[in-house]
Amino acid sequence: MRRTLSLMCIVLLVSGISIRAEDVTTFHAYVDSDLCARLMLGPITQSRVECSQKTYKDGSNAVLVRLTDNTVFSVNKEKLLKERVGQLATVTGQAKVKSGTMKLESVMPEVESNIPQGDPARRLLDVRTYKTTASAQIHEKVRHELAMIPYITEFDFISFTLVDDTVILTGWTVRATNRGDAAYRAKSVPGVRAVINNIEELPLGSSDMAIRADVRTRLQRVLSTYFWSNGSDIKIIVRNGNIILLGNVRTQQDSDAASIQAKSVPLSFHVFNLLRVAPDAPKKDKG
Amino acid sequence: MNNYRGVWKTVRGCLAATLLAVTLGCSAAPKPADTAPGVKKIAAGQEFSGFLKNYEQLKPNSNLGENALTFAGTEARKNLRSYFAIVVDPVEVYIATDADATKVNEDARLALTNYFQHALVAAVEDAFPPVDKAGPLTLRLRAALVGVDVGGQVAPGDAPTDAQPLERALNIGKVGVEMELVDSVTGERIAAMVDRSNLGAGAEVGAVQFSRVEKFEAARHAFDEWASRVREFLDSAHELTGADAEKADKSYQPYQ
């Protein structure tokens, strides 16, 4: 009896260790801010480093960008990344690509020269090797497919970059279905070989919900021409009290007005105004 | 000291009188055996159960076949697209006009309503994430199973030993679904649906855990199918067509 029990314990221990060993992974990563990681896709340039450090300081969360394929991971122990935002690191932990999350175990500082020449991780570090030489036709097809996602609202923002035949999806959504639907639609475009899905599903905390509703009401009142019955040109992303404004407006005054309105919302921490001023943005009918 | 004794006597007297009154009251009230308190009956001669506040707005929906009537508000900011979270209320049960309500006990009612509530959540949760409480941008889903009838006795062999059999099975052969989505804060109606698809023909529920009893598989399929038709309705209401599709296409530019 005792022998059987000991044997069972050993089997359980060994299987536990092997499962654990399978899950834990180590890779080279760039420590980014959530905001820049999901918007500034492309090589790690000086402007990206500046973006990472500035937006992290302003309240955007620290995340990891895996250098080999640009996958973004939100982490459980953000403290481990605190001192390394805007830098390279070798990280170890349990990474879940499907949900874009990682249970961090260790973070070691890394220097570019330590990454061997020819290593796929080098691609993101060099503007000469990172090329987005993709077909304009495929780009337009992917864009159209993503524009037609039915459950997108003003509280979702989905963007993409086409690198060769790989679509890298980025952004934030309040609905799980949008994350899956975007990947499915991008993958269904002929000529697309792979899809990397960096769309984050936002938490639905009650204060974030209140902020969303409040920002929308205020913007609709002041900038009604950008809203129509089933959508809007302005996207309102709310994550843990931080507000990100995205999309196109026609004038700088409109952009400033949006900022002022968003900043006046109670319970919000920081407003990142990333609205682009495009004077030729199509004017929407009211209602 | 004597004063305290006097007060205590009065209090004891009052307590005894209250206890007597409560006991008498309870024994005098008609006790409807084990009838589930949440069960309602469809009034005789009525086309609908009365679960929805009004039925006038409902129109046939070609996407869902001839047995479905739906309504989806189109007013700006008071339509389905203005919300994305959902609170799913406990499901209500309306038994058929000629059914004996005393034969539907609480276990039976809960077996039906719990399963259907979970089926509804599973069908909509990736599009409308469920939340615990009402709030902004949140819909409340109210639903009712309408036309439940009392079935036969459940034979001992109908449910396996690990499933609790019901005293009487419930027949869902003529059941339909009525549901409504309202603004969780104001209660204003945003969408509604009456689905009379005959999906439960020949199906009965005879155990509390009927979802894992093979004999009652047809009932499980029927509930899942009704729930998925609710989702189909939501999908069709969100589909971008015509001018909306054009606007969405024109407006969308990836961030570069």
Side-chain angles (χ1 to χ4, degrees), chain A residues 74-91:
Chain A
S74 302
V75 299
N76 61 332
K77 293 176 187 166
E78 237 190 284
K79 272 186 188 170
L80 294 178
L81 304 179
K82 205 171 113 184
E83 303 298 325
R84 316 223 175 279
V85 176
Q87 296 170 26
L88 299 178
T90 298
V91 296

Side-chain angles (χ1 to χ4, degrees), chain A residues 43-149:
Chain A
I44 313 296
T45 56
Q46 189 52 38
S47 67
R48 181 154 178 181
V49 172
E50 282 163 17
C51 171
S52 311
Q53 289 170 339
K54 184 178 183 312
T55 52
Y56 175 69
K57 207 174 151 191
D58 288 340
S60 184
N61 298 65
V63 295
L64 292 170
V65 180
R66 186 158 66 187
L67 292 182
T68 49
D69 60 2
N70 237 323
T71 303
V72 178
F73 293 98
S74 302
V75 299
N76 61 332
K77 293 176 187 166
E78 237 190 284
K79 272 186 188 170
L80 294 178
L81 304 179
K82 205 171 113 184
E83 303 298 325
R84 316 223 175 279
V85 176
Q87 296 170 26
L88 299 178
T90 298
V91 296
T92 302
Q94 287 173 280
K96 286 184 185 167
V97 175
K98 205 176 170 191
S99 59
T101 55
M102 184 167 184
K103 276 188 184 171
L104 262 185
E105 288 185 0
S106 70
V107 180
M108 300 298 290
E110 186 60 279
V111 283
E112 194 179 331
S113 55
N114 281 353
I115 301 172
Q117 291 295 330
D119 189 310
R122 276 207 154 262
R123 202 160 157 247
L124 253 185
L125 301 174
D126 192 341
V127 281
R128 289 165 302 177
T129 54
Y130 187 93
K131 289 173 191 158
T132 55
T133 51
S135 135
Q137 206 183 352
I138 296 176
H139 188 278
E140 173 51 23
K141 278 185 183 163
V142 174
R143 189 203 66 78
H144 175 73
E145 281 300 323
L146 297 180
M148 293 295 109
I149 296 176

Side-chain angles (χ1 to χ4, degrees), chain B residues 191-215:
Chain B
M193 177 180 182
V194 169
D195 188 3
R196 289 155 161 171
S197 301
N198 192 18
L199 302 169
E204 281 199 335
V205 172
V208 173
Q209 305 84 351
F210 72 95
S211 62
R212 58 174 199 246
V213 181
E214 204 182 328
K215 184 176 164 59

Side-chain angles (χ1 to χ4, degrees), chain B residues 48-53 55 94 178:
Chain B
F48 300 107
S49 71
F51 171 71
L52 301 180
K53 282 166 204 136
Y55 293 84
Y94 283 75
E178 294 186 11

Side-chain angles (χ1 to χ4, degrees), chain A residues 150-151 154 158-159 175 230, chain B residues 77 81 127 235 244 252 255:
Chain A
Y151 279 100
E154 53 270 59
I158 291 180
S159 187
R175 290 172 150 129
N230 283 331
Chain B
R77 302 299 145 202
R81 298 184 70 89
D235 286 351
D244 283 338
Y252 178 64
Y255 194 90

Side-chain angles (χ1 to χ4, degrees), chain B residues 102-119:
Chain B
T102 61
K103 288 181 177 153
V104 182
N105 68 15
E106 185 63 2
D107 282 345
R109 185 188 73 85
L110 284 175
L112 289 188
T113 57
N114 285 349
Y115 187 89
F116 190 48
Q117 190 180 358
H118 282 115

